Amino acid sequence: SQQGEEDPQALSIQEGENATMNCSYKTSINNLQWYRQNSGRGLVHLILIRSNEREKHSGRLRVTLDTSKKSSSLLITASRAADTASYFCATAVGGSNYKLTFGKGTLLTVNP
Amino acid sequence: NAGVTQTPKFRVLKTGQSMTLLCAQDMNHEYMYWYRQDPGMGLRLIHYSVGEGTTAKGEVPDGYNVSRLKKQNFLLGLESAAPSQTSVYFCASNLLETPYNEQFFGPGTRLTVL
């Protein structure tokens, strides 16, 4: 069963706009990660946030985590056409700090 | 470094045929994983390995077998392929003690079972 669920399933914006994607999960986590997948390629790790952290930044990426609501959001600021990809959240749960459960992803399209 | 590589990139099988997908990593990673990705389903873990000579079942292991005879290689076998195994297969790896736990993915193998 899917642990994480991204919302929305698809998002289309103009270059320069910000993109926000959300992830909800069901059980307590050790950490939550976001990955990007360009069409026809493998996944690439973007950022990890631990369960005791609330916010993290990396370049144009900002991730928040609300463990009380079991949700996370990924914000991409000043989006570029090259940001067009699918974005997945993944959670490490239980006694495993390495086995990840992925959501179904958000397809982001950034129009030039 | 090549990172994580997968062989082959594409394959078409007939129902009942067998095949082996090869994953290789040159990063000295302890942990390796096989996932399948189907439209609208995200990635699902098939099998994984926490070190050379060890394997364990993931979320969807039925119909697949794996072996980790060498640390750098993780093989995924389909003994008798079924149309339901049509999917894109991804291999991933990571370190045992990394504080960040990120997984490194291969480019994928697109398998079609007719």
Side-chain angles (χ1 to χ4, degrees), chain A residues 5-20:
Chain A
E5 294 287 343
E6 291 88 347
D7 171 63
Q9 290 186 340
L11 179 60
S12 180
I13 60 174
Q14 296 299 121
E15 216 167 17
E17 294 180 340
N18 295 341
T20 299

Side-chain angles (χ1 to χ4, degrees), chain A residues 1-2 31 33 35 37 40-43 45 48 50 88 97-100 102-104, chain B residues 31 33 35 37 40-43 45 48 50 59 90 99-103 105-107:
Chain A
S1 62
Q2 301 292 135
N31 64 66
Q33 304 179 35
Y35 287 79
Q37 183 181 34
R41 310 290 290 273
L43 278 71
H45 181 265
L48 177 150
R50 298 180 184 277
F88 295 87
N97 199 32
Y98 54 87
K99 203 165 60 173
L100 299 179
F102 287 82
K104 297 180 181 180
Chain B
Y31 288 41
Y33 313 82
Y35 296 92
Q37 184 178 34
M41 292 295 294
L43 273 77
L45 182 64
Y48 64 99
V50 301
E59 182 186 356
F90 289 99
Y100 294 104
N101 200 40
E102 66 174 287
Q103 293 187 10
F105 281 80

Side-chain angles (χ1 to χ4, degrees), chain A:
Chain A
S1 62
Q2 301 292 135
Q3 159 75 329
E5 294 287 343
E6 291 88 347
D7 171 63
Q9 290 186 340
L11 179 60
S12 180
I13 60 174
Q14 296 299 121
E15 216 167 17
E17 294 180 340
N18 295 341
T20 299
M21 288 158 271
N22 303 298
C23 171
S24 59
Y25 57 90
K26 298 174 184 174
T27 61
S28 297
I29 59 173
N30 296 324
N31 64 66
L32 186 144
Q33 304 179 35
W34 285 90
Y35 287 79
R36 184 188 74 230
Q37 183 181 34
N38 291 94
S39 181
R41 310 290 290 273
L43 278 71
V44 175
H45 181 265
L46 294 176
I47 194 167
L48 177 150
I49 187 165
R50 298 180 184 277
S51 59
N52 61 354
E53 297 176 314
R54 292 297 168 258
E55 187 171 312
K56 205 161 184 181
H57 296 257
S58 176
R60 294 185 296 113
L61 305 180
R62 171 177 170 257
V63 171
T64 61
L65 179 65
D66 187 334
T67 53
S68 66
K69 295 181 179 178
K70 293 188 170 58
S71 68
S72 174
S73 67
L74 171 67
L75 169 67
I76 304 174
T77 60
S79 63
R80 306 165 181 168
D83 294 328
T84 295
S86 290
Y87 292 82
F88 295 87
C89 68
T91 52
V93 302
S96 163
N97 199 32
Y98 54 87
K99 203 165 60 173
L100 299 179
T101 303
F102 287 82
K104 297 180 181 180
T106 292
L107 175 59
L108 172 65
T109 303
V110 182
N111 302 300

